[in-house]
Amino acid sequence: MEWIQYAISNIDVLITRTLEHIALVGLAVGIATLTGVPIGIAITKNERLAKNVLYLASIIVTIPSIALFGIMIPVLSIIGHGIGYVPAVIAVLLYSQLPIIRNTYTAINNVDPALREAARGIGMSQNQRLQKVEIPLAIPIIMAGVRTAVVLNIGVMAIAAYIGAGGLGTFISRGISQSDPRQLVLGAIAVSLLAVIVDYALLYLQKRLTPKGMTTLPAAD
Amino acid sequence: MPIQSMNGMLRVLLLIAAFSLGVWGHASGVIDEFLFYLPDVQFLAVEHLWLTAISGALAIIVAIPLGIVLSRPSMARWAESAMQVLNIGTTIPTLAVLALSMSLLGIGIVPAVFGLFVATLLPITRNTYTGLKGVSPALKEAAAGIGMSPAQRLMRVELPNALYVIFAGIRTALAINIGTVPLAFLIGAGGLGELIFTGIDLYDPVMMLAGAIPTAILAILVDALIALIAFVIVPRGVNPARKARA
Amino acid sequence: MIRLENLTKVFDTPKGAVVAADHINMEVPSGEICILLGPSGCGKTTTLKMINRIIRPTSGKVFIDNQDTTSLDTQTLRRNIGYVIQQIGLFPNMTIEENITIVPRLLGWNAKKYKERARELMHMIALEPDAFLKRYPSELSGGQQQRIGVARALAADPPVMLMDEPFGAIDPINRAVIQDEFIKMQKELKKTIMFVSHDIDEAIKMGDRIAIFRDGHLVQYATPDELLAAPQDNFVESFLGEDRALKRLNLIKVQDVINSEVETVTQQDSMETALSRIDRSGYQHAIIMVNEQRQPTGIIPRSVAQVSKGRCHDHAQQVPAIVNINDDLRKAVSLMLANDITWLPCVDDNNQLCGHITQRAMTHHLGARFRAQSGNTAPTAPLTEE
């Protein structure tokens, strides 16, 4: 249990890197939500487009993160950001698209047609229907998508330590390169705990955001 | 159709991009550099696939029976807590799984395969369990009612009807697996990660790409292969990918 | 034959023991359909499912063809009982052929035999074998799926069938069609069937006997007509509905109520003869005119006979309505109401006049069964529990 002593004596570094990790993932998933949700809503209007967009997003997720970094570094070095947090944030941004777009699309599409008709029947315009009925009902499912994205990308961000993005992965990379089991185990456990805790926190938020009367929680994936 | 014309335009753009990439590559000598890495890529890609094949096969062999056992009514008391543990397990980042595996087993192929095995095991077990639990009670009652033994019910009714979900789990798991294999280089197991990480360390873009592009292509190919196998194996009547005749 | 002896099921729930079926005793003779009827939670489904041990009895015995089934192992027992459930439960991973031959295959029939059987079954349920055998359940309509469900249960030709609300999920129009088909099939197959329903009309239509359940008890077990004529208590009476006398009309045939003495005139008779026969027989309104084959061809109304001369042929009016002796009283009543008349001529299948039926006679018949019920010792006496 040497790693615990190591953690205690390096508590300030641990806190800094944890916050760094959270900030980077939060920033990237935040931006991803701002792009993914509108895209998800937009593609409900066109089934073919939806299929293509979702297909593209699923191909991106299939690409291993380290390979994505390897491809992005030469490209981004043209603008002088080959190494560091920029490729990491872009990768997270890209990986987050699939869960967020897919869940938004499914949620809006799955709104009970009877509700939609009722909304039309009482004279709501298309935008009003979207704002007053469809989005509120879709929010828990969109949240589930965000949650999936966050948990996935806490792992991606850990790997990004290898391209100099910082975060908790730094403990692991140093642990391996310096053959220091204390840093290795601390990094592994810290990043695992972060993922598990954030997952539960977002699950709690997701339940809070579910309108009362809607008890069934749709699956995240 | 605006989409079709968009697709057409996309294709033309892709052709132009590929062509100009080729011209640029030839002019700058990048292609020659790539060819320099070709033997390495071949060797490491085979190693890469072996790591996936061994750890993936082990995971499937263990995960499906485990999922089956957990889904039996007699296990109901344990199953839910076991699933909770598995769910927590799947949120653990794969780099952490490999790091923990290394801290237990040291450096080399064995800890790498073990780490990959654990990361692959969880999604398959989970989907096998949920797939089997999701088989409609009416089907199980009908199967029991016509006099099938518990083993017959499992083999002829429950598994075929859960197969689509099980395959979805295998697909997710192998995508995670093959995406994690490059990291296995870090704990001394080889694979295409060698080119990527060495390329990053040496800041050699061509070396990086020589590792990254085949890694990405392998991942996409393996994913497509599993999708194809699922398409063929899952019976037509319960395979949403195969349209039913009207 | 199915016989239940003291069949009992007690469920242990967190709120304590619940008796779902309490000492059920009943017997279904071979070749008959027995409908288990009652409100939800009355124990009818539990009772049915104890027969093939989908639910294990707490105590009591089930006999099939006088054999105590306790000694049989569960799978053998079930393979010899056809089982149809409301959710149909066709296996979506199997083709229609694989679905309906599953029991024969479990029993180890060879391929030639079970394939032949599949085609035979498809003809039985009126579905074209070549069009359907290779398809999957999801490609069929609900009604077609339920027919396949019945075929699967019949596949190994079990002597006994259990059906749990088999037609409950089908829309009313298709349900009536499938019920009729099933009754027709049963006339040839003569299976011994236990059938759970919550629909009183279905029970009257399909059942040779009806068992009414309430709170885990068998309240009354009788033929549909007996049940409607003499409900045991207020519960049964209210369950059957206030229009239960009307429901009986479905069960009684014209020939049960027919008055076979009927006066006629021929086409050659004179109008005076017609008038005198009307007066002699005490008919109020008219007399029937028949041809040489004794087929009704017209009527001579009394008012016309009083004022006209000549042959009947020249003055006859069209017969407003005729019933067949095999029709049920429901049709007879309907014709009377529609034509504003109180009697109908009745003919046999050759269209020969064989009598007439009056409103009075029908009312009397319905009432008579009710009055006679107290002293009824007919062979169809209800086998109710103590």
Side-chain angles (χ1 to χ4, degrees), chain B residues 137-184:
Chain B
L139 280 188
K140 291 188 230 175
E141 187 182 325
I146 62 175
M148 286 189 182
S149 68
Q152 284 169 330
R153 268 177 257 165
L154 177 67
M155 297 306 292
R156 294 195 179 198
V157 176
E158 293 184 56
L159 276 178
N161 282 291
L163 210 53
Y164 188 79
V165 181
I166 295 175
F167 261 107
I170 293 179
R171 198 174 162 186
T172 312
L174 286 190
I176 292 171
N177 181 306
I178 201 160
T180 310
V181 171
L183 308 179

Side-chain angles (χ1 to χ4, degrees), chain A residues 106-121 129 133-134 137:
Chain A
T106 327
I108 302 269
N109 253 6
N110 284 1
V111 170
D112 185 353
L115 271 180
R116 203 169 287 171
E117 195 173 319
R120 203 163 52 216
R129 289 206 304 272
V133 180
E134 292 170 14
L137 287 173

Side-chain angles (χ1 to χ4, degrees), chain C residues 240-255:
Chain C
L240 296 174
E242 285 176 346
D243 61 343
R244 63 191 160 87
L246 287 181
K247 287 177 176 140
R248 286 187 68 198
L249 294 176
N250 287 325
L251 298 168
I252 304 170
K253 299 261 180 266
V254 168
Q255 59 190 339

Side-chain angles (χ1 to χ4, degrees), chain C residues 288-289 296-299 317-322 345:
Chain C
I288 303 163
M289 180 179 80
T297 55
I299 59 164
Q317 295 179 358
Q318 215 184 349
V319 187
I322 297 178

Side-chain angles (χ1 to χ4, degrees), chain C residues 166-200:
Chain C
F167 310 132
I170 299 168
D171 67 273
I173 293 173
N174 275 311
R175 190 188 311 152
V177 173
I178 294 184
Q179 284 169 344
D180 291 337
E181 284 176 10
F182 188 78
I183 293 171
K184 223 169 100 188
M185 246 161 58
Q186 165 67 1
K187 278 203 176 116
E188 287 176 26
L189 298 175
K190 302 229 185 311
K191 302 288 178 197
T192 310
I193 299 172
M194 279 255 208
F195 184 130
V196 165
S197 177
H198 64 258
D199 176 357
I200 171 76

Side-chain angles (χ1 to χ4, degrees), chain B residues 19-224:
Chain B
F19 184 72
S20 40
L21 205 70
V23 171
W24 169 78
H26 186 71
S28 63
V30 168
I31 287 189
D32 292 334
E33 279 187 65
F34 261 125
L35 289 178
F36 173 75
Y37 288 112
L38 194 61
D40 286 341
V41 170
Q42 279 173 342
F43 176 78
L44 292 171
V46 170
E47 212 170 48
H48 201 95
L49 286 175
W50 268 117
L51 285 169
T52 297
I54 293 170
S55 58
L58 282 176
I60 291 172
I61 291 170
V62 175
I64 292 180
L66 186 61
I68 291 173
V69 168
L70 285 173
S71 73
R72 297 303 89 189
S74 54
M75 291 295 288
R77 261 191 305 159
W78 312 100
E80 278 310 311
S81 350
M83 279 301 122
Q84 289 273 349
V85 173
L86 287 186
N87 280 333
I88 292 174
T90 47
T91 58
I92 293 177
T94 51
L95 181 63
V97 174
L98 281 180
L100 291 173
S101 170
M102 178 186 164
S103 73
L104 286 175
L105 300 171
I107 292 239
I109 301 267
V110 174
V113 168
F114 181 73
L116 290 170
F117 164 80
V118 171
T120 316
L121 182 77
L122 305 182
I124 304 179
T125 309
R126 194 170 60 166
N127 274 41
T128 305
Y129 174 80
T130 40
L132 288 170
K133 280 276 162 185
V135 173
S136 130
L139 280 188
K140 291 188 230 175
E141 187 182 325
I146 62 175
M148 286 189 182
S149 68
Q152 284 169 330
R153 268 177 257 165
L154 177 67
M155 297 306 292
R156 294 195 179 198
V157 176
E158 293 184 56
L159 276 178
N161 282 291
L163 210 53
Y164 188 79
V165 181
I166 295 175
F167 261 107
I170 293 179
R171 198 174 162 186
T172 312
L174 286 190
I176 292 171
N177 181 306
I178 201 160
T180 310
V181 171
L183 308 179
F185 160 73
L186 298 171
I187 62 171
L192 288 163
E194 190 170 328
L195 289 173
I196 306 175
F197 283 106
T198 317
I200 292 173
D201 280 346
L202 302 176
Y203 204 76
D204 178 346
V206 176
M207 195 175 180
M208 249 183 259
L209 290 174
I213 293 173
T215 303
I217 291 173
L218 279 187
I220 292 169
L221 285 182
V222 167
D223 189 56

Side-chain angles (χ1 to χ4, degrees), chain A residues 10-157:
Chain A
N10 291 286
I11 191 76
D12 48 336
V13 185
L14 180 62
I15 290 172
T16 313
R17 289 194 180 148
T18 306
L19 293 177
E20 214 168 60
H21 209 108
I22 295 172
L24 286 170
V25 173
L27 174 74
V29 177
I31 301 172
T33 309
L34 293 181
T35 59
V37 172
I39 293 175
I41 293 172
I43 61 175
T44 55
K45 304 277 175 268
N46 186 326
E47 207 175 312
R48 268 186 70 116
L49 182 65
K51 258 182 104 173
N52 286 322
V53 168
L54 289 174
Y55 183 69
L56 187 67
S58 70
I59 294 267
I60 291 173
V61 170
T62 313
I63 298 173
S65 50
I66 191 69
L68 195 59
F69 295 148
I71 295 167
M72 270 195 303
I73 290 170
V75 178
L76 288 173
S77 53
I78 297 171
I79 55 164
H81 284 287
I83 291 283
Y85 66 89
V86 175
V89 168
I90 294 179
V92 171
L93 202 62
L94 288 174
Y95 285 138
S96 304
Q97 296 302 315
L98 179 68
I100 295 174
I101 294 178
R102 186 181 50 196
N103 278 32
T104 307
Y105 172 75
T106 327
I108 302 269
N109 253 6
N110 284 1
V111 170
D112 185 353
L115 271 180
R116 203 169 287 171
E117 195 173 319
R120 203 163 52 216
I122 60 173
M124 286 185 173
S125 73
Q126 200 175 4
N127 277 333
Q128 284 171 326
R129 289 206 304 272
L130 203 57
Q131 279 174 24
K132 300 255 155 78
V133 180
E134 292 170 14
I135 291 181
L137 287 173
I139 275 183
I141 306 175
I142 296 174
M143 255 321 282
V146 171
R147 182 174 141 228
T148 311
V150 168
V151 171
L152 173 78
N153 285 308
I154 286 176
V156 170
M157 197 51 83

